[in-house]
Amino acid sequence: MIGERLPERLSPLATRFGLRPWYGDIHNHCGISYGHGSLEEALRRARRQLDFVSVTGHAYWPDMPVDDPRVAHIVDFHVKGFARLQTLWAGHFDQLAAADEPGVFTVFPGYEIHSFAHGDYTIVYRDIAGQPLIEAETPAELHAKLRAEVGDGAFAFPHHIGYRLGARGVNWDTVVPDLSPVMEIVSMHGCSETSMMDRPFLHSMGPSDGFSTARHGLSLGHRFGFLGNTDHHSGYPGSYGHGRSAVYAAQNSHESLWDGIHRRRTNALTGDCSHLFFAIGDTVQGGQIAAGGPAELELEAVGGSFIDSIDIVRNGDLVSRITPELSPSPIEAEGDDMETLLVLELGWGARGSFHDWTGTLELSGGEILSVEPRLRGSEVVSPLEGDGDEEDRTRIGLEGNQIAFSLRSMGNPNNFTSATQAIAARIRIRPEAEVRLTLDGQVFEASAERLLQGALSGNLGPIDSPAFRLHPLPRPHQWQWRGTVGIEPLRRGEWIYARMRQANGQWNWASPIFCE
């Protein structure tokens, strides 16, 4: 984020509790194990669009199928990756410490373990000082060893939980609550909220299973918060659209973020750094409430685009749906000076090609308040797919009311998968506001009135040439909502959470509130 963060005026409910969202990715990979790209580059990319990060090494796989010749090629790169992490582990803490900046950018050490029997887990340490690589065959054994070695300075969360049991999906019978206060419900593997979602599991490991979903685990009585992370393997933490986490905390520090995670004040997001926060009485998301409490839920949402819908899910059932277009309740009312979102999307062109963009985006008749990069990394996962660490040419800067940038985009690989890059800006405009876009020496102009009516697109050259799109500008009621939702008082053992879908296809899930 460049410039002003989410201001208190747009988050009065969270502010009332002394909280604000911080955005990060604590499960992603680079070349310190099997993966691509340097740790140094991964940390630099993370800082460009995140508040906190853990760059994850692959450590071990106790029940790896070493005797099955059909997967010998998979076993081979795992074994080599594990050995590489063992070699680099002790020395990588200096790089983590150099990247960590108190109050600005927080870095957590971490590594991953695989398991057919129990599912995959990511271990995260609170402190950067040299930490152990602990091997264990069960979550209970891992929990015991971590407590003995580092006390309360480590936790571990299951990820891509939606795979079936026995295929590296979650094993609800062996989950240890004290070890796993949160679980990853979305990543580039897919979405594990429920059986049917618009982000299905498409990896070669197979589809998701309904009994491995977050809703099924909650229905069994497990209590956990929601995370989203990329699980990116090309040194690009926070790669747009693949998953991110929000932690609601007072400040960006190891201690404050750690407390927020363990109190389950977390959100899972797919891409945009949006804000979705709710409370019942004096209990915020992630907390516990006594039976028979308030019959009203307070909620506020600030989208990264047009808000399509906000859902309240109780015990697995959809009990309320808010559609801001039909029930507007903006946090800030529209006036002559209107706050809105300006998004520039760059890419397209011939498949298999790339384009290096250089340009500026300038606003007159208004003010650029903040800039949010929405950048994607190369989607190479297995070392068998090739090297995914291309040279990073990205530069984004804000000076006054002008954003200057240089970045590379790839042609979309097919008609259903986006590879575009984007820059979003929160702006305040007057009726006469104008946008001036300069791309590779070509100038394109649009009035705010034009963009309020719809998106504006253009190509740099003929058909199949690289192209741009200025997204339509949402009015306040289309990207903000604040209000109350009537609910029946919660009964013992019940749970309730909120989720938001945007018109651009990005999601946000707020962790549940649980009834004692």
Side-chain angles (χ1 to χ4, degrees):
M1 183 74 72
I2 301 170
E4 182 190 30
R5 289 200 155 273
L6 182 70
E8 292 183 358
R9 69 177 183 276
L10 291 183
S11 56
L13 179 61
T15 299
R16 194 173 88 206
F17 290 95
L19 302 171
R20 62 188 304 178
W22 306 96
Y23 300 97
D25 178 1
I26 56 174
H27 174 208
N28 59 88
H29 304 282
C30 70
I32 60 173
S33 54
Y34 68 83
H36 307 286
S38 67
L39 175 60
E40 180 182 13
E41 187 70 5
L43 291 166
R44 190 177 73 83
R45 289 165 170 168
R47 182 165 181 150
R48 190 162 57 208
Q49 52 187 359
L50 301 174
D51 299 310
F52 62 92
V53 74
S54 177
V55 181
T56 316
H58 298 92
Y60 64 96
W61 188 350
D63 53 5
M64 186 164 52
V66 294
D67 297 325
D68 189 340
R70 296 171 297 178
V71 292
H73 57 297
I74 296 175
V75 170
D76 179 67
F77 73 72
H78 278 81
V79 170
K80 292 175 180 176
F82 300 155
R84 181 170 174 78
L85 182 64
Q86 290 284 350
T87 300
L88 298 177
W89 179 256
H92 93 300
F93 290 100
D94 289 342
Q95 287 178 274
L96 301 186
D100 187 81
E101 183 177 351
V104 177
F105 184 62
T106 302
V107 181
F108 298 101
Y111 64 94
E112 173 180 343
I113 61 176
H114 306 326
S115 173
F116 283 138
H118 305 287
D120 288 13
Y121 278 71
T122 296
I123 293 87
V124 181
Y125 292 106
R126 180 185 57 213
D127 304 319
I128 294 179
Q131 301 287 1
L133 265 178
I134 293 175
E135 294 193 13
E137 294 197 7
T138 69
E141 182 185 356
L142 176 65
H143 181 242
K145 287 186 174 182
L146 286 170
R147 289 298 177 266
E149 291 273 355
V150 294
D152 63 355
F155 74 96
F157 61 88
H159 57 260
H160 52 55
I161 64 174
Y163 288 116
R164 64 177 174 83
L165 178 61
R168 292 170 58 184
V170 67
N171 184 338
W172 297 114
D173 292 337
T174 61
V175 168
V176 179
D178 287 345
L179 177 69
S180 304
V182 290
M183 294 193 187
E184 181 182 291
I185 69 165
V186 70
S187 71
M188 65 190 305
H189 282 263
C191 181
S192 303
E193 180 201 3
T194 187
S195 289
M196 298 299 294
M197 285 296 297
D198 63 5
R199 277 174 164 75
F201 278 52
L202 300 176
H203 190 279
S204 60
M205 287 164 57
S208 63
D209 186 275
F211 276 23
S212 297
T213 61
R215 282 199 196 173
H216 185 71
L218 292 168
S219 73
L220 294 175
H222 294 278
R223 296 184 177 186
F224 54 88
F226 298 156
L227 292 182
N229 298 300
T230 60
D231 200 0
H232 203 271
H233 280 62
S234 297
Y236 217 107
S239 179
Y240 181 75
H242 294 135
R244 293 180 184 177
S245 295
V247 176
Y248 283 86
Q251 57 188 349
N252 185 3
S253 68
H254 286 257
E255 294 75 15
S256 191
L257 292 172
W258 197 258
D259 181 65
I261 291 169
H262 283 75
R263 292 177 183 270
R264 302 183 293 247
R265 294 195 304 253
T266 58
N267 288 37
L269 305 93
T270 56
D272 301 348
C273 291
S274 59
H275 167 61
L276 179 66
F277 187 83
F278 76 100
I280 300 175
D282 293 329
T283 302
V284 304
Q285 57 198 59
Q288 282 192 166
I289 194 169
E296 194 172 70
L297 179 152
E298 290 184 84
L299 183 144
E300 65 187 18
V302 179
S305 180
F306 294 76
I307 298 174
D308 186 12
S309 60
I310 304 168
D311 294 336
I312 307 299
V313 178
R314 178 172 177 164
N315 305 320
D317 297 324
L318 178 63
V319 296
S320 183
R321 171 161 288 178
I322 301 159
T323 305
E325 285 279 13
L326 301 179
S327 304
S329 181
I331 298 171
E332 280 203 334
E334 183 176 336
D336 287 342
D337 286 2
M338 184 180 74
E339 197 160 324
T340 185
L341 302 172
L342 176 63
V343 179
L344 169 64
E345 191 174 7
L346 300 168
W348 292 274
R351 292 178 186 175
S353 67
F354 66 85
H355 185 75
D356 290 323
W357 299 84
T358 300
T360 59
L361 182 62
E362 188 173 0
L363 176 68
S364 61
E367 180 184 3
I368 298 177
L369 304 174
S370 64
V371 176
E372 176 190 325
R374 295 179 178 176
L375 305 174
R376 290 183 169 93
S378 172
E379 292 194 42
V380 174
V381 178
S382 163
L384 304 176
E385 298 172 344
D387 186 358
D389 189 36
E390 76 280 0
E391 181 183 355
D392 193 329
R393 303 166 181 266
T394 304
R395 299 290 184 275
I396 300 173
L398 173 64
E399 185 171 342
N401 280 333
Q402 184 183 88
I403 303 168
F405 57 88
S406 59
L407 55 85
R408 171 173 290 185
S409 68
M410 306 296 295
N412 296 324
N414 55 61
N415 287 2
F416 289 91
T417 304
S418 176
T420 60
Q421 307 284 25
I423 301 168
R426 187 162 49 83
I427 62 175
R428 184 170 291 279
I429 57 172
R430 299 186 291 275
E432 70 273 16
E434 300 273 345
V435 174
R436 179 183 174 91
L437 174 63
T438 303
L439 295 172
D440 298 357
Q442 299 187 45
V443 177
F444 306 88
E445 296 180 326
S447 66
E449 181 59 36
R450 166 64 177 84
L451 293 176
L452 286 166
Q453 296 179 49
L456 176 71
S457 66
N459 289 72
L460 292 184
I463 190 169
D464 262 13
S465 66
F468 74 89
R469 186 172 190 247
L470 286 168
H471 289 204
L473 299 176
R475 297 184 182 276
H477 76 276
Q478 295 173 316
W479 65 287
Q480 306 168 23
W481 196 90
R482 181 176 184 232
T484 59
V485 179
I487 60 171
E488 292 290 327
L490 293 184
R491 298 181 292 273
R492 186 173 180 179
E494 291 193 317
W495 45 271
I496 191 168
Y497 67 84
R499 66 180 186 180
M500 175 172 69
R501 187 186 188 280
Q502 299 177 173
N504 65 354
Q506 303 303 321
W507 287 80
N508 186 327
W509 293 265
S511 293
I513 286 178
F514 302 90
C515 187
E516 295 172 355

